[in-house]
Amino acid sequence: MIIVLAAAVVAVLVEAFVPAEARRRTQLVLSLGALAAAFAAIVGLAGAQDVVVAGALAVDGVTLVLQGIVVVVTAGAVALVAHRTVDHPEAERVDAFTPQASVVPGSLAEARAVTARVTRTEVYPLTLFAAGGMMVLPASADLLTMFVALEVLSLPLYLLCGLARRRRLLSQEASLKYFLLGAFSSAFFLFGVALLYGYAGTVDLSGIAEASATGSATDPLLGVMGVGLVAVGLLFKVGAVPFHSWVPDVYQGAPVPVTAFMAAATKVAAFGALVRVLVVAAPALEDQVRPMLWAVAIVTMVVGAVVAVTQTDVVRMLAYSSVAHAGFLLTGVVAGDAGIAATLFYLAAYAVSTLGAFAVVCAVRDDGGPATTLSRWAGLGSRSPLLAGAFALFLLAFAGIPLTSGFTSKFAVFEAALSEGGAALVVIGVLSSAVAASFYVRVIVVLFFTPAEGSPPTVDAGPGVTVVVSAAAVVTLALGVVPQPLFDLVDRAAALLAR
């Protein structure tokens, strides 16, 4: 995490001092190099189990697995950020980000910036800062560090959501919605921290658990309310119902590479932090907190699956799909210790498939930008069979079809929930999966069995998109066919959780 945050600081200096013509290439090399170095450092720490930085950060198996997932997803997102298209009338090749975010959308100043081929590469340091926060969040061993990490990952995302080159007003609206609702979630989180401090006299996660176990804590109601409010702040980030209202609008308004980054990496970090809070800080309050998590998981699965059926926009459909998957992930979280390994496996599989799905969205384009209306994807299977086939594979994985990573992931979390007495939760999860499968199949029918009407959208899969889609497809298949190596890894990681 130090490597990524240091690279983000260096990237800010690159933005200020490197000549414009060399800036983009420099930022790309710096970002990918830092992420590669960070991944190597994570691998080098394998087997560690310690609490460092004056008790603020836990370096253990769960932390390292989650940080590894974040780094890999961020590298894929950076490749998508670098993707440049050829569909702008006044510039030879342009990217997904506005050349001048500070001017009024549609103004003469913005048109001049486009014509002059002005480029801004602040998206790279912002992405690295967000990734750094995501790496710190699941490693946090006390609630104040967790809050700082939450803000470090959130603030860059608020800005990134407003940087879309096209549909500028929609992008700015998405940024404002995300910021305002994010501020509310931060307030809930801080209120929960205050209550837990009043309950245990400390914000250290292990200290809270010790106070609960020894009986030195005050009114247990304070502890339950505190854990609940902290969970609300984290559930907002994962898009769980009823804290999901921002998800479809923000996903639709943000630049597609940013949406891919948010959808994949933010869930990994926030669920990692939620697991750490519930398993490390609140095991004594498990019986009181579990009904709340049950209710949220059930409503999230049902609402996400049912509402997704009605969507006619690919990005909004994927947004509600992500809401449903937040509910599936919560079934693993509810299982406590028994569900840690299953949750880690699910996060890895879901993050890769989600990144691949949004990479496909980056490649399918209309005159005004990404072609996200579902009817515009008709016949894509005949024009670009490999790209459409990869997208179909990701949808089948989301549906939980056997021989894909999605089936293995859902089986793992449902088995963990069932072992802890969550039979009703599993039944609802299976039924929600069946409902979700219907709209995934509908998209596949549009791709391969519906003829195109009018002028079809163009397919512009550059090197970055090609690499991301290909790698994601291979991993999605591999985790469905031979999942045991990753299961062994997450089992060892769960056993090394520092308490």
Side-chain angles (χ1 to χ4, degrees):
M1 68 188 80
I2 295 176
I3 295 173
V4 173
L5 290 172
V9 174
V10 174
V12 173
L13 299 177
V14 169
E15 185 69 19
F17 298 108
V18 172
E21 60 273 11
R23 194 178 299 153
R24 179 174 173 274
R25 184 179 293 108
T26 304
Q27 294 280 28
L28 181 60
V29 171
L30 173 64
S31 299
L32 293 178
L35 292 169
F39 189 79
I42 291 169
V43 172
L45 289 171
Q49 186 179 14
D50 197 6
V51 179
V52 297
V53 194
L57 297 175
V59 180
D60 54 31
V62 172
T63 294
L64 296 176
V65 168
L66 293 172
Q67 287 182 343
I69 299 171
V70 168
V71 167
V72 171
V73 169
T74 305
V78 168
L80 297 182
V81 166
H83 176 61
R84 295 165 77 83
T85 63
V86 293
D87 58 354
H88 198 282
E90 297 178 348
E92 185 177 337
R93 293 191 70 86
V94 295
D95 54 28
F97 301 93
T98 179
Q100 205 162 349
S102 59
V103 301
V104 177
S107 65
L108 181 60
E110 186 176 60
R112 287 173 176 169
V114 172
T115 305
R117 301 184 185 181
V118 174
T119 59
R120 294 285 184 266
T121 55
E122 67 267 23
V123 62
Y124 292 98
L126 288 173
T127 301
L128 290 177
F129 275 121
M134 292 173 187
M135 295 175 73
V136 175
L137 185 63
S140 302
D142 69 67
L143 293 172
L144 289 184
T145 303
M146 192 173 290
F147 174 73
V148 172
L150 194 64
E151 295 306 300
V152 170
L153 79 87
S154 297
L155 293 175
L157 289 178
Y158 300 152
L159 295 174
L160 288 169
C161 288
L163 296 182
R165 178 180 289 273
R166 300 168 183 84
R167 299 185 300 179
R168 294 282 295 119
L169 290 175
L170 186 64
S171 178
Q172 290 185 347
E173 178 187 352
S175 178
L176 184 60
K177 284 182 178 179
Y178 195 18
F179 169 70
L180 292 176
L181 292 175
F184 278 112
S185 74
S186 297
F188 280 113
F189 188 95
L190 280 178
F191 196 10
V193 173
L195 291 178
L196 284 174
Y197 182 77
Y199 166 71
T202 179
V203 293
D204 182 75
L205 297 183
S206 58
I208 295 171
E210 183 179 354
S212 300
T214 60
S216 61
T218 58
D219 187 354
L221 180 61
L222 281 180
V224 174
M225 292 175 61
V227 171
L229 290 175
V230 167
V232 166
L234 296 173
L235 291 172
F236 169 87
K237 288 300 177 188
V238 303
V241 178
F243 319 108
H244 71 295
S245 58
W246 62 276
V247 173
D249 293 336
V250 174
Y251 278 27
Q252 186 180 29
V256 177
V258 174
T259 303
F261 181 51
M262 283 193 301
T266 304
K267 267 189 174 55
V268 174
F271 266 112
L274 185 61
V275 166
R276 191 169 294 277
V277 168
L278 296 176
V279 173
V280 176
L285 303 174
E286 181 180 5
D287 292 338
Q288 293 88 348
V289 174
R290 181 174 290 182
M292 178 196 75
L293 294 177
W294 266 57
V296 172
I298 290 171
V299 176
T300 301
M301 288 187 289
V302 173
V303 170
V306 171
V307 178
V309 174
T310 66
Q311 301 304 310
T312 58
D313 184 276
V314 174
V315 173
R316 292 183 73 88
M317 182 270 292
L318 292 174
Y320 280 107
S321 170
S322 78
V323 172
H325 281 282
F328 298 139
L329 277 159
L330 280 171
T331 62
V333 174
V334 166
D337 285 348
I340 294 175
T343 303
L344 294 178
F345 185 95
Y346 200 123
L347 286 171
Y350 173 77
V352 172
S353 298
T354 299
L355 188 67
F358 279 106
V360 175
V361 177
C362 283
V364 182
R365 309 191 66 80
D366 260 332
D367 293 338
T372 59
T373 303
L374 182 58
S375 60
R376 298 287 293 147
W377 288 53
L380 183 65
S382 60
R383 298 191 306 276
S384 184
L386 292 178
L387 196 68
F391 192 66
L393 173 64
F394 300 137
L395 294 179
L396 292 175
F398 293 149
I401 302 301
L403 299 183
T404 66
S405 61
F407 173 80
T408 314
S409 303
K410 288 182 180 179
F411 183 84
V413 294
F414 289 163
E415 183 184 36
L418 194 60
S419 68
E420 293 297 312
L425 196 61
V426 172
V427 170
I428 295 172
V430 171
L431 294 176
S432 298
S433 296
V435 173
S438 66
F439 63 80
Y440 295 132
V441 172
R442 184 185 68 175
V443 176
I444 295 174
V445 169
V446 171
L447 291 175
F448 293 97
F449 304 106
T450 304
E453 297 181 0
S455 59
T458 60
V459 176
D460 182 23
V465 170
T466 301
V467 170
V468 171
V469 172
S470 302
V474 170
V475 173
T476 298
L477 276 176
L479 293 182
V481 178
V482 283
Q484 197 58 46
L486 182 57
F487 268 127
D488 293 339
L489 176 64
V490 296
D491 280 337
R492 291 194 298 270
L496 290 174
L497 179 65
R499 301 174 187 267

